[in-house]
Amino acid sequence: MKYRDRKPALRAAALAAAALMGLGLCSIPAAAEEEPQIQVITQTASSSALVDPAQCNHYLTISEAGTYEEEGTYRQVVIEKGGVELKNKVIYNLFIRPEVNTQIVRLENVTVTGNIYVYTGARVKMTDCQVAGITGRYDGSVNLYAIGDTTIENVLLNTDAFLWCEKLAEDAGAYQNVTVRSATSKYLNVTLNNAKVENISTYLPTNLSVTKGSRVENVTCYDQTAILGTGEVGNLFAKSSGVTYEEEPEYIKTDESVSSTPRLSDEKLDDDSVSYNVVHEDWYK
């Protein structure tokens, strides 16, 4: 993971974490990994704790709205209330709990070396943040905003989602790898709003709306996927039948084993009409 220039304390913490990972002393969990159990501990971390968050024992639980801007390094942060603004921190795992509901959580100048776990319909606005992974979980529509100099390496969607970009810096990575995969839904709706995305992979029937102003470099479909909207798609790789698009991608490749090639259509998939690809059932066991 690439760490951008930060305040000295945060930059040193991020570099220390990267060094430990390079030595194999700790690892960044992929977005698709099983989430860890939340530790019920509340403790304020020292701002001078320049160690990898996964190796420290500093925990923070936030149950009141407000701004929390003291620099610190944490193994785990749990947010239980909307209206929270978190600044200047290095965190291993961040949990945004169901109690937040559809309210806003703001992160600014935050580095997450593990995962952010987002429950229900929370709106997470990330300004000048470096995030290894985000997992959108359970019911509701997760709203993610990449703002300024923000790079999010991996996003795993188990629920409907909106991915936004606002005032993105020219060299910001925005959303690097987005995976649509769920054990509890026959299909999902994913909408890109003025978003910059490198790779999207769909492993179950998906309505992927790429609105005007959005661009996806690569879309790989392992199941039925309707690509809607007039945004830009660079490369479309169809590894399943039932792939359609509204705006023709710049390049299309269909696997030889696929019975039908991608075709022009502006129709969404319907939960009652799609046939769930049972080949992927084992992914969830």
mmCIF file of all heavy atoms in Angstrom, residues 136 140-144 155-164 175 177-182 185 187-193 195 197 199-211 214 216 219 225-229 268-269:
data_model
loop_
_atom_site.group_PDB
_atom_site.id
_atom_site.type_symbol
_atom_site.label_atom_id
_atom_site.label_comp_id
_atom_site.label_asym_id
_atom_site.label_seq_id
_atom_site.Cartn_x
_atom_site.Cartn_y
_atom_site.Cartn_z
ATOM 1 N N GLY A 136 -18.441 -3.419 2.840
ATOM 2 C CA GLY A 136 -19.810 -2.966 3.071
ATOM 3 C C GLY A 136 -20.666 -4.157 3.424
ATOM 4 O O GLY A 136 -20.764 -5.112 2.646
ATOM 5 N N GLY A 140 -29.211 -2.336 3.612
ATOM 6 C CA GLY A 140 -29.051 -0.912 3.402
ATOM 7 C C GLY A 140 -28.136 -0.638 2.224
ATOM 8 O O GLY A 140 -27.612 -1.548 1.585
ATOM 9 N N SER A 141 -27.948 0.635 1.909
ATOM 10 C CA SER A 141 -27.068 1.046 0.820
ATOM 11 C C SER A 141 -25.889 1.818 1.403
ATOM 12 O O SER A 141 -26.062 2.913 1.939
ATOM 13 C CB SER A 141 -27.818 1.929 -0.184
ATOM 14 O OG SER A 141 -28.834 1.187 -0.830
ATOM 15 N N VAL A 142 -24.710 1.259 1.303
ATOM 16 C CA VAL A 142 -23.510 1.914 1.807
ATOM 17 C C VAL A 142 -23.125 3.036 0.850
ATOM 18 O O VAL A 142 -23.130 2.860 -0.368
ATOM 19 C CB VAL A 142 -22.359 0.901 1.935
ATOM 20 C CG1 VAL A 142 -21.054 1.611 2.270
ATOM 21 C CG2 VAL A 142 -22.689 -0.120 3.015
ATOM 22 N N ASN A 143 -22.815 4.207 1.395
ATOM 23 C CA ASN A 143 -22.378 5.352 0.605
ATOM 24 C C ASN A 143 -20.937 5.685 0.953
ATOM 25 O O ASN A 143 -20.635 6.030 2.105
ATOM 26 C CB ASN A 143 -23.258 6.576 0.899
ATOM 27 C CG ASN A 143 -24.622 6.468 0.255
ATOM 28 O OD1 ASN A 143 -24.874 7.036 -0.791
ATOM 29 N ND2 ASN A 143 -25.512 5.717 0.889
ATOM 30 N N LEU A 144 -20.048 5.590 -0.030
ATOM 31 C CA LEU A 144 -18.634 5.890 0.183
ATOM 32 C C LEU A 144 -18.243 7.089 -0.671
ATOM 33 O O LEU A 144 -18.591 7.159 -1.854
ATOM 34 C CB LEU A 144 -17.770 4.688 -0.193
ATOM 35 C CG LEU A 144 -18.078 3.368 0.510
ATOM 36 C CD1 LEU A 144 -17.156 2.261 -0.014
ATOM 37 C CD2 LEU A 144 -17.947 3.499 2.022
ATOM 38 N N VAL A 155 -12.329 -2.679 -2.137
ATOM 39 C CA VAL A 155 -13.690 -2.526 -1.618
ATOM 40 C C VAL A 155 -14.444 -3.818 -1.888
ATOM 41 O O VAL A 155 -14.518 -4.266 -3.044
ATOM 42 C CB VAL A 155 -14.432 -1.351 -2.282
ATOM 43 C CG1 VAL A 155 -15.858 -1.243 -1.732
ATOM 44 C CG2 VAL A 155 -13.675 -0.034 -2.075
ATOM 45 N N LEU A 156 -14.989 -4.432 -0.832
ATOM 46 C CA LEU A 156 -15.821 -5.625 -0.972
ATOM 47 C C LEU A 156 -17.250 -5.245 -0.630
ATOM 48 O O LEU A 156 -17.529 -4.749 0.460
ATOM 49 C CB LEU A 156 -15.353 -6.740 -0.034
ATOM 50 C CG LEU A 156 -16.264 -7.969 0.038
ATOM 51 C CD1 LEU A 156 -16.357 -8.664 -1.317
ATOM 52 C CD2 LEU A 156 -15.780 -8.945 1.098
ATOM 53 N N LEU A 157 -18.171 -5.472 -1.568
ATOM 54 C CA LEU A 157 -19.569 -5.075 -1.378
ATOM 55 C C LEU A 157 -20.429 -6.312 -1.180
ATOM 56 O O LEU A 157 -20.561 -7.146 -2.082
ATOM 57 C CB LEU A 157 -20.057 -4.267 -2.578
ATOM 58 C CG LEU A 157 -19.300 -2.959 -2.831
ATOM 59 C CD1 LEU A 157 -19.792 -2.301 -4.101
ATOM 60 C CD2 LEU A 157 -19.437 -2.016 -1.639
ATOM 61 N N ASN A 158 -21.044 -6.417 -0.004
ATOM 62 C CA ASN A 158 -22.030 -7.442 0.309
ATOM 63 C C ASN A 158 -23.432 -6.852 0.322
ATOM 64 O O ASN A 158 -24.383 -7.500 0.735
ATOM 65 C CB ASN A 158 -21.738 -8.060 1.687
ATOM 66 C CG ASN A 158 -20.465 -8.873 1.673
ATOM 67 O OD1 ASN A 158 -20.399 -9.919 1.049
ATOM 68 N ND2 ASN A 158 -19.447 -8.384 2.355
ATOM 69 N N THR A 159 -23.550 -5.605 -0.084
ATOM 70 C CA THR A 159 -24.815 -4.887 -0.024
ATOM 71 C C THR A 159 -24.853 -3.859 -1.151
ATOM 72 O O THR A 159 -23.825 -3.587 -1.784
ATOM 73 C CB THR A 159 -24.966 -4.185 1.337
ATOM 74 O OG1 THR A 159 -26.246 -3.555 1.420
ATOM 75 C CG2 THR A 159 -23.899 -3.134 1.543
ATOM 76 N N ASP A 160 -26.031 -3.288 -1.426
ATOM 77 C CA ASP A 160 -26.106 -2.216 -2.411
ATOM 78 C C ASP A 160 -25.183 -1.075 -1.996
ATOM 79 O O ASP A 160 -24.950 -0.843 -0.806
ATOM 80 C CB ASP A 160 -27.539 -1.686 -2.521
ATOM 81 C CG ASP A 160 -28.505 -2.716 -3.094
ATOM 82 O OD1 ASP A 160 -28.028 -3.721 -3.666
ATOM 83 O OD2 ASP A 160 -29.727 -2.512 -2.977
ATOM 84 N N ALA A 161 -24.667 -0.344 -2.992
ATOM 85 C CA ALA A 161 -23.685 0.686 -2.652
ATOM 86 C C ALA A 161 -23.677 1.820 -3.664
ATOM 87 O O ALA A 161 -24.009 1.631 -4.840
ATOM 88 C CB ALA A 161 -22.294 0.072 -2.567
ATOM 89 N N PHE A 162 -23.301 3.001 -3.161
ATOM 90 C CA PHE A 162 -23.024 4.164 -3.990
ATOM 91 C C PHE A 162 -21.563 4.552 -3.752
ATOM 92 O O PHE A 162 -21.146 4.728 -2.602
ATOM 93 C CB PHE A 162 -23.925 5.340 -3.615
ATOM 94 C CG PHE A 162 -25.377 5.133 -3.942
ATOM 95 C CD1 PHE A 162 -26.209 4.453 -3.063
ATOM 96 C CD2 PHE A 162 -25.906 5.616 -5.131
ATOM 97 C CE1 PHE A 162 -27.549 4.258 -3.367
ATOM 98 C CE2 PHE A 162 -27.251 5.424 -5.441
ATOM 99 C CZ PHE A 162 -28.072 4.739 -4.555
ATOM 100 N N LEU A 163 -20.793 4.692 -4.817
ATOM 101 C CA LEU A 163 -19.401 5.118 -4.724
ATOM 102 C C LEU A 163 -19.276 6.489 -5.381
ATOM 103 O O LEU A 163 -19.602 6.649 -6.559
ATOM 104 C CB LEU A 163 -18.476 4.121 -5.422
ATOM 105 C CG LEU A 163 -18.567 2.647 -4.989
ATOM 106 C CD1 LEU A 163 -17.522 1.819 -5.721
ATOM 107 C CD2 LEU A 163 -18.424 2.502 -3.486
ATOM 108 N N TRP A 164 -18.810 7.457 -4.606
ATOM 109 C CA TRP A 164 -18.723 8.838 -5.071
ATOM 110 C C TRP A 164 -17.277 9.312 -5.060
ATOM 111 O O TRP A 164 -16.454 8.829 -4.275
ATOM 112 C CB TRP A 164 -19.509 9.778 -4.157
ATOM 113 C CG TRP A 164 -20.934 9.441 -3.891
ATOM 114 C CD1 TRP A 164 -21.408 8.378 -3.163
ATOM 115 C CD2 TRP A 164 -22.092 10.169 -4.320
ATOM 116 N NE1 TRP A 164 -22.781 8.403 -3.109
ATOM 117 C CE2 TRP A 164 -23.233 9.496 -3.818
ATOM 118 C CE3 TRP A 164 -22.274 11.328 -5.066
ATOM 119 C CZ2 TRP A 164 -24.519 9.947 -4.044
ATOM 120 C CZ3 TRP A 164 -23.562 11.783 -5.301
ATOM 121 C CH2 TRP A 164 -24.666 11.097 -4.788
ATOM 122 N N TYR A 175 -10.850 4.662 -6.045
ATOM 123 C CA TYR A 175 -11.188 3.253 -5.808
ATOM 124 C C TYR A 175 -10.357 2.368 -6.742
ATOM 125 O O TYR A 175 -10.475 2.449 -7.963
ATOM 126 C CB TYR A 175 -12.681 3.026 -6.063
ATOM 127 C CG TYR A 175 -13.573 3.930 -5.251
ATOM 128 C CD1 TYR A 175 -14.088 5.101 -5.801
ATOM 129 C CD2 TYR A 175 -13.895 3.624 -3.929
ATOM 130 C CE1 TYR A 175 -14.904 5.945 -5.064
ATOM 131 C CE2 TYR A 175 -14.711 4.466 -3.184
ATOM 132 C CZ TYR A 175 -15.209 5.622 -3.749
ATOM 133 O OH TYR A 175 -16.012 6.459 -3.003
ATOM 134 N N ASN A 177 -9.753 -1.434 -6.465
ATOM 135 C CA ASN A 177 -10.337 -2.741 -6.776
ATOM 136 C C ASN A 177 -11.654 -2.900 -6.029
ATOM 137 O O ASN A 177 -11.672 -2.890 -4.800
ATOM 138 C CB ASN A 177 -9.382 -3.868 -6.376
ATOM 139 C CG ASN A 177 -8.028 -3.733 -7.051
ATOM 140 O OD1 ASN A 177 -7.913 -3.871 -8.262
ATOM 141 N ND2 ASN A 177 -7.001 -3.430 -6.258
ATOM 142 N N VAL A 178 -12.736 -3.057 -6.783
ATOM 143 C CA VAL A 178 -14.073 -3.213 -6.195
ATOM 144 C C VAL A 178 -14.589 -4.602 -6.550
ATOM 145 O O VAL A 178 -14.619 -4.982 -7.724
ATOM 146 C CB VAL A 178 -15.043 -2.144 -6.724
ATOM 147 C CG1 VAL A 178 -16.443 -2.361 -6.145
ATOM 148 C CG2 VAL A 178 -14.528 -0.744 -6.388
ATOM 149 N N THR A 179 -14.997 -5.366 -5.523
ATOM 150 C CA THR A 179 -15.525 -6.716 -5.721
ATOM 151 C C THR A 179 -16.964 -6.762 -5.234
ATOM 152 O O THR A 179 -17.248 -6.371 -4.100
ATOM 153 C CB THR A 179 -14.689 -7.759 -4.956
ATOM 154 O OG1 THR A 179 -13.335 -7.697 -5.410
ATOM 155 C CG2 THR A 179 -15.231 -9.167 -5.184
ATOM 156 N N VAL A 180 -17.878 -7.221 -6.092
ATOM 157 C CA VAL A 180 -19.296 -7.345 -5.745
ATOM 158 C C VAL A 180 -19.568 -8.822 -5.521
ATOM 159 O O VAL A 180 -19.541 -9.619 -6.450
ATOM 160 C CB VAL A 180 -20.199 -6.797 -6.865
ATOM 161 C CG1 VAL A 180 -21.670 -6.879 -6.449
ATOM 162 C CG2 VAL A 180 -19.806 -5.368 -7.212
ATOM 163 N N ARG A 181 -19.855 -9.177 -4.258
ATOM 164 C CA ARG A 181 -20.016 -10.582 -3.906
ATOM 165 C C ARG A 181 -20.794 -10.691 -2.602
ATOM 166 O O ARG A 181 -20.457 -10.045 -1.626
ATOM 167 C CB ARG A 181 -18.635 -11.232 -3.735
ATOM 168 C CG ARG A 181 -18.644 -12.729 -3.800
ATOM 169 C CD ARG A 181 -17.238 -13.255 -3.593
ATOM 170 N NE ARG A 181 -16.846 -13.205 -2.195
ATOM 171 C CZ ARG A 181 -15.619 -13.476 -1.767
ATOM 172 N NH1 ARG A 181 -14.678 -13.755 -2.633
ATOM 173 N NH2 ARG A 181 -15.340 -13.440 -0.489
ATOM 174 N N SER A 182 -21.848 -11.488 -2.588
ATOM 175 C CA SER A 182 -22.678 -11.586 -1.395
ATOM 176 C C SER A 182 -23.259 -12.978 -1.258
ATOM 177 O O SER A 182 -23.612 -13.613 -2.249
ATOM 178 C CB SER A 182 -23.814 -10.560 -1.439
ATOM 179 O OG SER A 182 -24.687 -10.732 -0.349
ATOM 180 N N SER A 185 -27.742 -12.253 -1.016
ATOM 181 C CA SER A 185 -28.587 -11.563 -1.994
ATOM 182 C C SER A 185 -28.465 -12.217 -3.359
ATOM 183 O O SER A 185 -27.404 -12.678 -3.749
ATOM 184 C CB SER A 185 -28.179 -10.091 -2.097
ATOM 185 O OG SER A 185 -28.942 -9.438 -3.085
ATOM 186 N N TYR A 187 -29.005 -10.526 -6.162
ATOM 187 C CA TYR A 187 -28.319 -9.531 -6.981
ATOM 188 C C TYR A 187 -28.149 -8.248 -6.180
ATOM 189 O O TYR A 187 -28.828 -8.028 -5.178
ATOM 190 C CB TYR A 187 -29.070 -9.275 -8.287
ATOM 191 C CG TYR A 187 -30.282 -8.382 -8.167
ATOM 192 C CD1 TYR A 187 -30.283 -7.099 -8.704
ATOM 193 C CD2 TYR A 187 -31.440 -8.825 -7.521
ATOM 194 C CE1 TYR A 187 -31.399 -6.279 -8.609
ATOM 195 C CE2 TYR A 187 -32.553 -8.022 -7.427
ATOM 196 C CZ TYR A 187 -32.530 -6.745 -7.971
ATOM 197 O OH TYR A 187 -33.632 -5.936 -7.868
ATOM 198 N N LEU A 188 -27.232 -7.401 -6.640
ATOM 199 C CA LEU A 188 -26.965 -6.148 -5.954
ATOM 200 C C LEU A 188 -26.991 -4.990 -6.951
ATOM 201 O O LEU A 188 -26.784 -5.179 -8.155
ATOM 202 C CB LEU A 188 -25.594 -6.187 -5.265
ATOM 203 C CG LEU A 188 -25.458 -7.126 -4.058
ATOM 204 C CD1 LEU A 188 -24.041 -7.052 -3.499
ATOM 205 C CD2 LEU A 188 -26.468 -6.795 -2.966
ATOM 206 N N ASN A 189 -27.241 -3.793 -6.419
ATOM 207 C CA ASN A 189 -27.211 -2.566 -7.208
ATOM 208 C C ASN A 189 -26.021 -1.720 -6.757
ATOM 209 O O ASN A 189 -25.917 -1.368 -5.578
ATOM 210 C CB ASN A 189 -28.507 -1.770 -7.014
ATOM 211 C CG ASN A 189 -29.727 -2.527 -7.494
ATOM 212 O OD1 ASN A 189 -29.844 -2.836 -8.673
ATOM 213 N ND2 ASN A 189 -30.626 -2.839 -6.576
ATOM 214 N N VAL A 190 -25.145 -1.415 -7.690
ATOM 215 C CA VAL A 190 -23.961 -0.607 -7.396
ATOM 216 C C VAL A 190 -23.960 0.591 -8.333
ATOM 217 O O VAL A 190 -24.044 0.432 -9.555
ATOM 218 C CB VAL A 190 -22.664 -1.417 -7.578
ATOM 219 C CG1 VAL A 190 -21.437 -0.544 -7.318
ATOM 220 C CG2 VAL A 190 -22.658 -2.626 -6.643
ATOM 221 N N THR A 191 -23.879 1.790 -7.762
ATOM 222 C CA THR A 191 -23.932 3.015 -8.555
ATOM 223 C C THR A 191 -22.665 3.822 -8.361
ATOM 224 O O THR A 191 -22.236 4.055 -7.222
ATOM 225 C CB THR A 191 -25.151 3.866 -8.153
ATOM 226 O OG1 THR A 191 -26.346 3.110 -8.351
ATOM 227 C CG2 THR A 191 -25.223 5.135 -9.006
ATOM 228 N N LEU A 192 -22.070 4.258 -9.459
ATOM 229 C CA LEU A 192 -20.888 5.121 -9.432
ATOM 230 C C LEU A 192 -21.322 6.540 -9.769
ATOM 231 O O LEU A 192 -21.956 6.779 -10.798
ATOM 232 C CB LEU A 192 -19.845 4.650 -10.444
ATOM 233 C CG LEU A 192 -19.471 3.167 -10.414
ATOM 234 C CD1 LEU A 192 -18.376 2.885 -11.442
ATOM 235 C CD2 LEU A 192 -19.036 2.733 -9.034
ATOM 236 N N ASN A 193 -20.991 7.478 -8.895
ATOM 237 C CA ASN A 193 -21.358 8.877 -9.096
ATOM 238 C C ASN A 193 -20.088 9.715 -9.232
ATOM 239 O O ASN A 193 -19.375 9.934 -8.244
ATOM 240 C CB ASN A 193 -22.192 9.392 -7.917
ATOM 241 C CG ASN A 193 -23.550 8.736 -7.846
ATOM 242 O OD1 ASN A 193 -24.483 9.113 -8.530
ATOM 243 N ND2 ASN A 193 -23.653 7.701 -7.020
ATOM 244 N N ALA A 195 -17.337 8.910 -10.243
ATOM 245 C CA ALA A 195 -16.335 8.099 -9.555
ATOM 246 C C ALA A 195 -15.228 7.649 -10.497
ATOM 247 O O ALA A 195 -15.442 7.427 -11.688
ATOM 248 C CB ALA A 195 -16.992 6.886 -8.909
ATOM 249 N N VAL A 197 -12.679 4.552 -10.878
ATOM 250 C CA VAL A 197 -12.486 3.177 -10.408
ATOM 251 C C VAL A 197 -11.535 2.459 -11.358
ATOM 252 O O VAL A 197 -11.679 2.544 -12.586
ATOM 253 C CB VAL A 197 -13.821 2.411 -10.337
ATOM 254 C CG1 VAL A 197 -13.595 1.000 -9.803
ATOM 255 C CG2 VAL A 197 -14.824 3.160 -9.461
ATOM 256 N N ASN A 199 -10.666 -1.180 -11.133
ATOM 257 C CA ASN A 199 -11.174 -2.515 -11.463
ATOM 258 C C ASN A 199 -12.459 -2.818 -10.699
ATOM 259 O O ASN A 199 -12.533 -2.567 -9.494
ATOM 260 C CB ASN A 199 -10.143 -3.598 -11.109
ATOM 261 C CG ASN A 199 -8.811 -3.379 -11.788
ATOM 262 O OD1 ASN A 199 -8.707 -3.411 -13.008
ATOM 263 N ND2 ASN A 199 -7.776 -3.133 -10.987
ATOM 264 N N ILE A 200 -13.459 -3.380 -11.388
ATOM 265 C CA ILE A 200 -14.666 -3.886 -10.743
ATOM 266 C C ILE A 200 -14.871 -5.325 -11.193
ATOM 267 O O ILE A 200 -14.811 -5.625 -12.392
ATOM 268 C CB ILE A 200 -15.916 -3.059 -11.099
ATOM 269 C CG1 ILE A 200 -15.834 -1.661 -10.489
ATOM 270 C CG2 ILE A 200 -17.187 -3.748 -10.599
ATOM 271 C CD1 ILE A 200 -17.052 -0.802 -10.758
ATOM 272 N N SER A 201 -15.117 -6.228 -10.229
ATOM 273 C CA SER A 201 -15.420 -7.628 -10.537
ATOM 274 C C SER A 201 -16.758 -7.985 -9.919
ATOM 275 O O SER A 201 -16.995 -7.715 -8.733
ATOM 276 C CB SER A 201 -14.332 -8.553 -9.978
ATOM 277 O OG SER A 201 -13.071 -8.259 -10.550
ATOM 278 N N THR A 202 -17.652 -8.577 -10.718
ATOM 279 C CA THR A 202 -18.976 -8.971 -10.212
ATOM 280 C C THR A 202 -19.066 -10.488 -10.168
ATOM 281 O O THR A 202 -18.819 -11.157 -11.166
ATOM 282 C CB THR A 202 -20.091 -8.413 -11.111
ATOM 283 O OG1 THR A 202 -19.963 -8.943 -12.436
ATOM 284 C CG2 THR A 202 -20.020 -6.890 -11.182
ATOM 285 N N TYR A 203 -19.435 -11.023 -8.992
ATOM 286 C CA TYR A 203 -19.518 -12.470 -8.786
ATOM 287 C C TYR A 203 -20.944 -12.934 -8.533
ATOM 288 O O TYR A 203 -21.156 -14.060 -8.100
ATOM 289 C CB TYR A 203 -18.616 -12.891 -7.622
ATOM 290 C CG TYR A 203 -17.149 -12.869 -7.966
ATOM 291 C CD1 TYR A 203 -16.400 -11.726 -7.753
ATOM 292 C CD2 TYR A 203 -16.525 -13.990 -8.515
ATOM 293 C CE1 TYR A 203 -15.044 -11.691 -8.065
ATOM 294 C CE2 TYR A 203 -15.179 -13.962 -8.836
ATOM 295 C CZ TYR A 203 -14.446 -12.810 -8.607
ATOM 296 O OH TYR A 203 -13.105 -12.789 -8.928
ATOM 297 N N LEU A 204 -21.908 -12.061 -8.747
ATOM 298 C CA LEU A 204 -23.312 -12.426 -8.680
ATOM 299 C C LEU A 204 -24.058 -11.422 -9.547
ATOM 300 O O LEU A 204 -23.498 -10.388 -9.940
ATOM 301 C CB LEU A 204 -23.845 -12.433 -7.251
ATOM 302 C CG LEU A 204 -24.221 -11.094 -6.609
ATOM 303 C CD1 LEU A 204 -25.011 -11.350 -5.350
ATOM 304 C CD2 LEU A 204 -22.997 -10.283 -6.266
ATOM 305 N N PRO A 205 -25.327 -11.691 -9.928
ATOM 306 C CA PRO A 205 -26.045 -10.744 -10.786
ATOM 307 C C PRO A 205 -26.011 -9.325 -10.202
ATOM 308 O O PRO A 205 -26.317 -9.108 -9.032
ATOM 309 C CB PRO A 205 -27.465 -11.319 -10.810
ATOM 310 C CG PRO A 205 -27.255 -12.787 -10.637
ATOM 311 C CD PRO A 205 -26.123 -12.906 -9.663
ATOM 312 N N THR A 206 -25.638 -8.373 -11.055
ATOM 313 C CA THR A 206 -25.374 -7.005 -10.591
ATOM 314 C C THR A 206 -25.909 -5.983 -11.580
ATOM 315 O O THR A 206 -25.728 -6.117 -12.791
ATOM 316 C CB THR A 206 -23.855 -6.776 -10.426
ATOM 317 O OG1 THR A 206 -23.313 -7.753 -9.533
ATOM 318 C CG2 THR A 206 -23.574 -5.384 -9.877
ATOM 319 N N ASN A 207 -26.591 -4.965 -11.040
ATOM 320 C CA ASN A 207 -26.900 -3.761 -11.807
ATOM 321 C C ASN A 207 -25.797 -2.751 -11.493
ATOM 322 O O ASN A 207 -25.728 -2.214 -10.389
ATOM 323 C CB ASN A 207 -28.254 -3.178 -11.400
ATOM 324 C CG ASN A 207 -29.417 -4.039 -11.860
ATOM 325 O OD1 ASN A 207 -29.461 -4.493 -12.996
ATOM 326 N ND2 ASN A 207 -30.373 -4.275 -10.967
ATOM 327 N N LEU A 208 -24.919 -2.520 -12.462
ATOM 328 C CA LEU A 208 -23.806 -1.596 -12.279
ATOM 329 C C LEU A 208 -24.107 -0.312 -13.051
ATOM 330 O O LEU A 208 -24.057 -0.290 -14.282
ATOM 331 C CB LEU A 208 -22.509 -2.226 -12.775
ATOM 332 C CG LEU A 208 -21.261 -1.334 -12.763
ATOM 333 C CD1 LEU A 208 -20.955 -0.854 -11.351
ATOM 334 C CD2 LEU A 208 -20.073 -2.071 -13.375
ATOM 335 N N SER A 209 -24.424 0.746 -12.321
ATOM 336 C CA SER A 209 -24.745 2.028 -12.949
ATOM 337 C C SER A 209 -23.501 2.914 -12.957
ATOM 338 O O SER A 209 -22.999 3.293 -11.894
ATOM 339 C CB SER A 209 -25.883 2.724 -12.195
ATOM 340 O OG SER A 209 -27.072 1.959 -12.255
ATOM 341 N N VAL A 210 -23.012 3.209 -14.154
ATOM 342 C CA VAL A 210 -21.841 4.071 -14.319
ATOM 343 C C VAL A 210 -22.355 5.409 -14.860
ATOM 344 O O VAL A 210 -22.559 5.571 -16.060
ATOM 345 C CB VAL A 210 -20.814 3.437 -15.285
ATOM 346 C CG1 VAL A 210 -19.552 4.295 -15.354
ATOM 347 C CG2 VAL A 210 -20.468 2.019 -14.846
ATOM 348 N N THR A 211 -22.595 6.347 -13.963
ATOM 349 C CA THR A 211 -23.224 7.598 -14.373
ATOM 350 C C THR A 211 -22.244 8.489 -15.130
ATOM 351 O O THR A 211 -21.024 8.301 -15.074
ATOM 352 C CB THR A 211 -23.763 8.359 -13.154
ATOM 353 O OG1 THR A 211 -22.664 8.710 -12.303
ATOM 354 C CG2 THR A 211 -24.756 7.512 -12.377
ATOM 355 N N SER A 214 -18.335 9.394 -14.566
ATOM 356 C CA SER A 214 -17.610 8.281 -13.939
ATOM 357 C C SER A 214 -16.816 7.517 -15.000
ATOM 358 O O SER A 214 -17.176 7.501 -16.175
ATOM 359 C CB SER A 214 -18.584 7.322 -13.249
ATOM 360 O OG SER A 214 -19.251 7.956 -12.187
ATOM 361 N N VAL A 216 -14.630 3.624 -15.333
ATOM 362 C CA VAL A 216 -14.082 2.373 -14.834
ATOM 363 C C VAL A 216 -13.110 1.851 -15.885
ATOM 364 O O VAL A 216 -13.487 1.695 -17.056
ATOM 365 C CB VAL A 216 -15.171 1.310 -14.583
ATOM 366 C CG1 VAL A 216 -14.566 0.072 -13.946
ATOM 367 C CG2 VAL A 216 -16.272 1.876 -13.710
ATOM 368 N N VAL A 219 -13.904 -3.794 -16.179
ATOM 369 C CA VAL A 219 -15.035 -4.486 -15.553
ATOM 370 C C VAL A 219 -14.946 -5.955 -15.951
ATOM 371 O O VAL A 219 -14.918 -6.288 -17.137
ATOM 372 C CB VAL A 219 -16.389 -3.910 -16.020
ATOM 373 C CG1 VAL A 219 -17.531 -4.707 -15.388
ATOM 374 C CG2 VAL A 219 -16.502 -2.440 -15.647
ATOM 375 N N THR A 225 -24.547 -9.319 -15.511
ATOM 376 C CA THR A 225 -24.288 -7.935 -15.122
ATOM 377 C C THR A 225 -24.888 -6.997 -16.155
ATOM 378 O O THR A 225 -24.635 -7.143 -17.354
ATOM 379 C CB THR A 225 -22.778 -7.665 -15.004
ATOM 380 O OG1 THR A 225 -22.197 -8.581 -14.064
ATOM 381 C CG2 THR A 225 -22.515 -6.235 -14.542
ATOM 382 N N ALA A 226 -25.692 -6.031 -15.685
ATOM 383 C CA ALA A 226 -26.228 -4.980 -16.550
ATOM 384 C C ALA A 226 -25.454 -3.700 -16.256
ATOM 385 O O ALA A 226 -25.528 -3.167 -15.149
ATOM 386 C CB ALA A 226 -27.717 -4.780 -16.293
ATOM 387 N N ILE A 227 -24.682 -3.229 -17.246
ATOM 388 C CA ILE A 227 -23.903 -2.000 -17.090
ATOM 389 C C ILE A 227 -24.743 -0.857 -17.660
ATOM 390 O O ILE A 227 -24.974 -0.782 -18.867
ATOM 391 C CB ILE A 227 -22.553 -2.104 -17.814
ATOM 392 C CG1 ILE A 227 -21.772 -3.313 -17.292
ATOM 393 C CG2 ILE A 227 -21.742 -0.825 -17.601
ATOM 394 C CD1 ILE A 227 -20.491 -3.588 -18.045
ATOM 395 N N LEU A 228 -25.216 -0.006 -16.764
ATOM 396 C CA LEU A 228 -26.147 1.061 -17.120
ATOM 397 C C LEU A 228 -25.458 2.419 -17.066
ATOM 398 O O LEU A 228 -24.388 2.566 -16.478
ATOM 399 C CB LEU A 228 -27.346 1.036 -16.182
ATOM 400 C CG LEU A 228 -28.038 -0.327 -16.031
ATOM 401 C CD1 LEU A 228 -28.961 -0.320 -14.830
ATOM 402 C CD2 LEU A 228 -28.803 -0.667 -17.296
ATOM 403 N N GLY A 229 -26.081 3.424 -17.657
ATOM 404 C CA GLY A 229 -25.554 4.775 -17.583
ATOM 405 C C GLY A 229 -24.643 5.107 -18.747
ATOM 406 O O GLY A 229 -24.246 4.251 -19.540
ATOM 407 N N LYS A 268 -32.538 -3.106 -16.541
ATOM 408 C CA LYS A 268 -31.948 -3.600 -15.301
ATOM 409 C C LYS A 268 -32.317 -5.055 -15.084
ATOM 410 O O LYS A 268 -33.308 -5.552 -15.607
ATOM 411 C CB LYS A 268 -32.456 -2.776 -14.104
ATOM 412 C CG LYS A 268 -31.960 -1.350 -14.076
ATOM 413 C CD LYS A 268 -32.381 -0.684 -12.787
ATOM 414 C CE LYS A 268 -31.842 0.739 -12.695
ATOM 415 N NZ LYS A 268 -32.213 1.381 -11.400
ATOM 416 N N LEU A 269 -31.477 -5.727 -14.293
ATOM 417 C CA LEU A 269 -31.820 -7.087 -13.879
ATOM 418 C C LEU A 269 -32.912 -7.013 -12.826
ATOM 419 O O LEU A 269 -32.958 -6.093 -12.017
ATOM 420 C CB LEU A 269 -30.594 -7.793 -13.300
ATOM 421 C CG LEU A 269 -29.379 -7.947 -14.233
ATOM 422 C CD1 LEU A 269 -28.247 -8.629 -13.472
ATOM 423 C CD2 LEU A 269 -29.745 -8.738 -15.462
#
